Amino acid sequence: MRLTGRRATSFPGLVALRLSPSLLGRLGRQLKKCIVVTGTNGKTTASRLLAAILAAQDPQEPPDAWIHNAEGANLAQGVVSALLEHTDWRGRLQWTRAVLEIDEATLPRVAHDLPVQWVVVTNVFRDQLDRYGELDTTVRKILEGIRDMQATVLLNADDPLSRYIGLTAGRPAVYYGMERGMAKPPERETMRDGTLCLRCGRPLRYEGFFYGQLGVYECPACGFARPSPDFMGEYDGASLRVTGGGAPARFQLPVRGVFNAYNALAAIAMARLQGVPDSAVEEALRRYRGPLGRMQVYGTDPASVLNLVKNPAGCDTVLETLCGEDVDKVLCIAINDLAADGRDVSWLWDADFERIPERGRAVLCVTTGLRAEDMALRLKYAGYPTGRLEVVPDPDAALDRSLEAARAHGVPVVHVLATYTALYPMAEALRRRAAAAEPAPARAAREGERP
Amino acid sequence: MLNLYADRGNVQTLLRRCEWRGLHAHVTPVRRHDEVRLRDYHLVLIGGGSDREQALVAEALRRRRREWKAAVEDGLPVLAVCGGYQLLGEYYQLPDGTKVPGLELLDLVTTAGRPRLIGNIAIESPEVGTVVGFENHGGRTVHRHAPLGTVLRGHGNNGRDGYEGVRYRNVVGTYIHGPLLPKNPRLADFLLSLAAAYAGVAVDFPPLDDELEWAAHRAFLTRHAGVRGPR
Ligand SMILES: [Zn+2]
């Protein structure tokens, strides 16, 4: 039972789980190697990078010799879907190695069914509070999951919440982190989750930050502190130098931003732990294509760039990147509040949209989606002039308006930000407009925009 | 303005609405071990974190309980949301029966319950009209004061009695966030006018251009409560 079409990724598994709740266990037991990637942000990118690297080890094998679940299909039924795709009619797995991206809240539910040897935790940020209750619940879920596995954990040393997991999970832990020289003092006084010591409740003291709550921290009261990383990364905006688990080496990254450098570091560290040679890592990074919504460039007129936003930390990294581009731009922000987006849009107020009026060079902001008005209000209170703010609830119309305004202002780029359920329709709409724009003068603009 | 873990959106809304009227407001963010002199402030915002954080905040604030009580009786305006709302009461009872003591400013108690009460909420308040937002709380709160409003849609204080929030002197307590104030400009201005009166500053609050605020408010009401919004 295999459905075709990109957006049906979780469907066969959902049916299978309903028919037979023990299916995950029956399939999972057959795995000889199982690596799980979890955490708040970056698990899709980190797990895809890792799967690509592991698959590149042996050029004789087909690229799907490592089972890997499709983007976003990271709940129990998504894992079953991925396994079912590689199962013959007798219920036997054709391949017995897997890299699985698993949602934090799902981790305890699948822990018993999968023979997990390694768990990678990308980070623990405030994410979709309405699904999990509150932040401490996320930490607890990951801990619960890990305790039920006979696994070694690969953790982010720079994230105090991950460090807490490492100290209390009772499993062997290996750490990756960035070179402390990269840490910078905070730009603005912001309250971050995890800035209180999870052990004793005192505020943590930071020597510097990498991004969000990730930094060089210690608790002045109880001695809780950033461990020295086993795998150290040094990122220069394009390449990542990795020290640890082998000779130091520099890798060109196919993804941009510090947050993605962390994802790459986690994947490379795990690859080294699995004994993958650097040449295979390089090859995989060279061929890697990113998942949807991570800075895709479309050849519309003018060019547009699509980004997924879903929580404050992830959104801030996107805002930081686009505000760092020193050109005029139009922003089109699509906010939905369906279950997969998180029904509570409070998070918009914790993200640093103040950057846009401060130095975003946005000549126009068009807000759209089910919560278009909330997004417009957020920008108004961020200090963005209401005269250059338009609410267009219909996403297609909003996109047309954004492109048209960009052309009228002679602006070279439209940045589209979308929450999860708005992402696919936006990508589709952009693809159609890009196809219609060929071979218009847009081509030159797009080539110029490509990273 | 004193800020204890309050939603950034609420603080920002109050600040901007002062600024747009040419009023100056100063915010002091408070961390757990900061010493606070309540009488230096004209409006206090209390937000909430996780259970763990909330217990820590409660423990720190309780040391100044008498000062808090006197200030509230004296008319200090307080906006307390979610965990901060629960903190105003006698205690918060955890699932294992432990009672985390609150500030005991109000005759109010909260008991942890299941499931969490999560979703969009709209209420009708006699003082400020409809109030809309999101709620997400495990605690069931009961009290002997006036509520902030009656529930039009959602769960409210405890999912049973049809009331949401609390009103006592110049205290407003509520589970509604999302955040609370940006989409509810009447409530925001109500708090500012309480603060101005308490500060003894004679200012009037000329209406602002709240087109976007009401658009968001109305969009919410039509979509979630089937109620036609104000204006
Ligand atoms: Zn500590």
Side-chain angles (χ1 to χ4, degrees), chain A residues 414-427:
Chain A
V414 173
H415 278 279
V416 182
L417 276 53
T419 58
Y420 195 75
T421 66
L423 187 69
Y424 288 98
M426 273 298 183

Side-chain angles (χ1 to χ4, degrees), chain A residues 197-202 204 219-224:
Chain A
C197 173
L198 276 174
R199 272 214 311 221
C200 73
R202 302 292 168 94
L204 291 176
C219 172
C222 75
F224 175 84

Side-chain angles (χ1 to χ4, degrees), chain A residues 27-109:
Chain A
L27 296 172
R29 259 198 307 277
Q30 301 175 48
L31 289 172
K32 297 210 168 60
K33 189 116 201 174
C34 183
I35 303 172
V36 156
V37 181
T38 190
T40 310
N41 284 329
K43 53 184 177 289
T44 300
T45 300
S47 65
R48 277 176 77 126
L49 281 168
L50 179 58
I53 293 170
L54 292 170
Q57 278 182 100
D58 186 354
Q60 309 305 330
E61 285 182 340
D64 62 349
W66 280 79
I67 299 172
H68 177 52
N69 47 345
E71 187 201 348
N74 57 17
L75 306 178
Q77 64 263 31
V79 175
V80 173
S81 288
L83 296 177
L84 274 179
E85 263 186 56
H86 299 274
T87 305
D88 65 17
W89 60 274
R90 284 165 304 199
R92 262 186 244 147
L93 282 181
Q94 292 158 274
W95 301 104
T96 53
R97 297 171 301 180
V99 177
L100 300 170
E101 171 194 342
I102 296 185
D103 179 86
E104 310 89 282
T106 299
L107 204 58
R109 294 182 43 216

Side-chain angles (χ1 to χ4, degrees), chain A residues 305-351:
Chain A
V305 182
L306 178 63
N307 265 302
L308 170 69
V309 291
K310 55 172 187 169
N311 55 30
C315 187
D316 283 355
T317 56
V318 169
L319 292 173
E320 191 180 327
T321 311
L322 72 90
C323 290
E325 286 174 8
D326 205 13
V327 291
D328 285 342
K329 53 192 76 91
V330 169
L331 294 186
C332 178
I333 310 180
I335 305 296
N336 280 351
D337 65 351
L338 303 176
D341 302 298
R343 287 157 62 214
D344 183 359
V345 293
S346 299
W347 68 270
L348 293 176
W349 294 79
D350 294 321

Side-chain angles (χ1 to χ4, degrees), chain A residues 15 27 73 76 102 104 121 138 180 196 223 227 246 251 258 289 307 316-317 348 378-379 403 411 420 427:
Chain A
V15 174
L27 296 172
I102 296 185
E104 310 89 282
V121 181
T138 310
R180 73 194 299 142
L196 294 185
F251 300 95
V258 183
R289 273 185 60 240
N307 265 302
D316 283 355
T317 56
L348 293 176
R378 174 68 188 95
L379 288 169
L403 291 166
V411 160
Y420 195 75

